[in-house]
Amino acid sequence: MSGNFWLPMTSETTTQNTLRLRDTDEERALLGQEDSTLRLLRRYLGVRAHARRCRITIEGEPRAVDEAMFLLEGLRERVRVGNDVRPEEVERLLRRKRDQREDAVDLPVGREGRILRALDDTSIKPKSPAQAAYVRAVERCDIVFAIGPAGTGKTYLAVAMAIRLMKRGLYRKLVLVRPAVEAGEHLGFLPGDLTAKVNPYLRPLYDALGDFLEFAEVTRYQENDIIEVVPLAYMRGRTLDNAFIILDEGQNTSAAQMKMFLTRMGRSSKIVVTGDVTQTDLPRGKQSGLLDVRDRLRDIEGIAFCELGRDDIVRHPLVQKIVDAYEAGTGETGTGGEGAPLPATTIASGNGNAGNGKIGDGSAGDGDSGDGDSGVGA
């Protein structure tokens, strides 16, 4: 790749494919004025493209040809249901695909890959192979579950990825969700209005944002509905399009709540669910929705389950020893789950549309960044 565009490959590595159209009217509608669709395909994918007698032929590097054909087939369907094909819409789709391909190259693929830089100039990146696998899963899959003990970076890395992808214009909105469940004690009636009552439960999410964005930025984005921090109970009945959605403390959902949350997912959105099934605060005898969903969805393509353990803890060194001590007394595994760790299942998928109000270059969030390179606050 050179600059923003694909470079044509040599003839030894090229392939060719053809899209058939019904008639010249369909051809004109799909190609646009002065064959604008073909010109954009050549520009962004580096393919050779020409149309003749209701056939569009694409030639080039195999992956670029596949992407061109996928786009053309989608545009053809839009034409057949009566929708217009506008050059600016085609260019937006191609830009998004280009950005996703660039992300696949420069997103973290190991301990040296940086996600973004925090406000204190700390370089945020995975600090273990499991964290790196988790970040890659967030990049590639539309739904990701991260299960592991406290301090493994589940929520912190998810927020960092969300900020990164929103800065690139891939998502219009960031939605941070948390169940309003007390941690083993009853606080009674809290004073204040509704916001004051639920704010203590959502505080950890604001902490995670604070490492990447200034307080004034977070406030402005919330006022403009670009960032939303909301209790899980308020998600019912909603549909979230073009959004990066993070559910923290997923172990404190019931099976019904988890189903409700996952089905809020709209077009071009991504969901990340984090949780530690060894720290469930649900009433005794009530199964965690995070355990339930792991059994139900583990074989669905496009959904990844990432298991993090004691070796991935990057908080204070004592946190790892505390986790070990509790596990030694209860016989629980380091990942808090039941059964063997699950491999991530990934697909290459379109992940989000560029929004009208994307996050700018100012960073955000707080969280447990520690002294070294990667903040971790899960």
Side-chain angles (χ1 to χ4, degrees):
M1 187 152 142
S2 174
N4 292 329
F5 313 118
W6 289 100
L7 292 178
M9 306 299 290
T10 64
S11 59
E12 296 179 352
T13 59
T14 60
T15 187
Q16 179 177 298
N17 208 338
T18 300
L19 183 75
R20 298 174 182 270
L21 304 173
R22 288 175 176 171
D23 51 39
T24 55
D25 289 338
E26 185 172 271
E27 182 180 31
R28 282 194 297 269
L30 193 151
L31 296 181
Q33 188 174 5
E34 297 180 351
D35 291 346
S36 60
T37 299
L38 298 186
R39 288 189 287 106
L40 289 168
L41 289 175
R42 298 183 192 114
R43 177 183 175 188
Y44 282 92
L45 297 178
V47 296
R48 289 181 286 277
H50 62 272
R52 185 180 181 187
R53 295 180 181 176
C54 300
R55 294 185 180 185
I56 300 177
T57 301
I58 306 295
E59 183 179 359
E61 187 266 335
R63 185 164 182 174
V65 170
D66 289 344
E67 291 180 359
M69 292 299 296
F70 182 83
L71 177 65
L72 288 172
E73 288 169 356
L75 295 176
R76 181 178 63 183
E77 292 307 309
R78 292 186 61 174
V79 169
R80 288 181 176 178
V81 297
N83 294 324
D84 294 331
V85 174
R86 301 188 303 275
E88 59 269 24
E89 177 70 6
V90 176
E91 185 167 17
R92 184 184 64 78
L93 293 171
L94 286 167
R95 281 180 177 174
R96 187 179 71 188
K97 179 61 68 175
R98 180 196 65 195
D99 289 340
Q100 290 168 355
R101 186 63 100 94
E102 288 178 347
D103 284 343
V105 174
D106 64 12
L107 273 174
V109 293
R111 295 184 59 171
E112 299 305 317
R114 178 167 66 91
I115 301 175
L116 79 169
R117 196 169 292 280
L119 290 180
D120 63 0
D121 210 37
T122 300
S123 182
I124 306 302
K125 53 185 160 182
K127 300 193 75 174
S128 72
Q131 285 190 355
Y134 171 37
V135 169
R136 286 195 298 271
V138 173
E139 173 201 355
R140 297 170 183 172
C141 294
D142 289 334
I143 298 180
V144 178
F145 294 87
I147 302 173
T152 51
K154 305 181 298 294
T155 303
Y156 194 87
L157 291 174
V159 172
M161 287 291 291
I163 297 296
R164 173 187 173 91
L165 296 178
M166 288 187 69
K167 285 182 177 181
R168 290 179 173 268
L170 296 181
Y171 298 96
R172 185 185 66 197
K173 183 172 184 173
L174 170 59
V175 182
L176 301 170
V177 185
R178 211 167 192 260
V181 177
E182 297 169 349
E185 56 184 314
H186 300 289
L187 301 180
F189 293 102
L190 296 176
D193 59 14
L194 187 59
T195 300
K197 291 178 187 296
V198 300
N199 189 65
Y201 299 103
L202 305 177
R203 187 70 251 174
L205 297 177
Y206 285 108
D207 290 343
L209 282 175
D211 273 359
F212 309 111
L213 298 174
E214 298 283 1
F215 177 77
E217 289 182 293
V218 175
T219 301
R220 185 171 72 253
Y221 292 141
Q222 286 187 288
E223 291 174 350
N224 293 328
D225 205 32
I226 297 172
I227 291 179
E228 182 178 359
V229 183
V230 61
L232 176 63
Y234 292 2
M235 293 292 288
R236 187 175 298 279
R238 302 184 62 183
T239 300
L240 297 170
D241 296 326
N242 304 322
F244 195 115
I245 312 162
I246 300 173
L247 172 62
D248 189 32
E249 296 290 314
Q251 78 276 6
N252 286 330
T253 64
S254 66
Q257 287 175 318
M258 181 65 75
K259 176 185 176 183
M260 179 275 291
F261 171 76
L262 294 175
T263 53
R264 301 310 94 198
M265 186 180 189
R267 295 168 299 184
S268 301
S269 288
K270 183 186 292 289
I271 284 179
V272 177
V273 178
T274 68
D276 176 6
V277 293
T278 69
Q279 296 191 41
T280 298
D281 299 310
L282 295 173
R284 184 177 298 275
K286 192 168 188 178
Q287 185 185 23
S288 167
L290 189 56
L291 284 174
D292 177 76
V293 79
R294 188 172 64 173
D295 295 333
R296 292 179 185 272
L297 306 185
R298 62 188 298 173
D299 296 323
I300 296 180
E301 186 178 9
I303 297 178
F305 285 85
C306 300
E307 302 274 351
L308 301 169
R310 62 177 299 279
D311 293 337
D312 305 304
I313 295 175
V314 287
R315 286 182 179 171
H316 193 287
L318 284 177
V319 173
Q320 189 174 82
K321 296 179 181 180
I322 291 170
V323 171
D324 289 344
Y326 275 92
E327 288 174 359
T330 61
E332 291 169 345
T333 64
T335 60
E338 298 177 352
L342 301 175
T345 302
T346 61
I347 60 172
S349 61
N351 285 331
N353 293 337
N356 295 326
K358 71 174 184 177
I359 289 181
D361 292 330
S363 303
D366 173 323
D368 307 309
S369 63
D371 296 328
D373 284 331
S374 143
V376 174

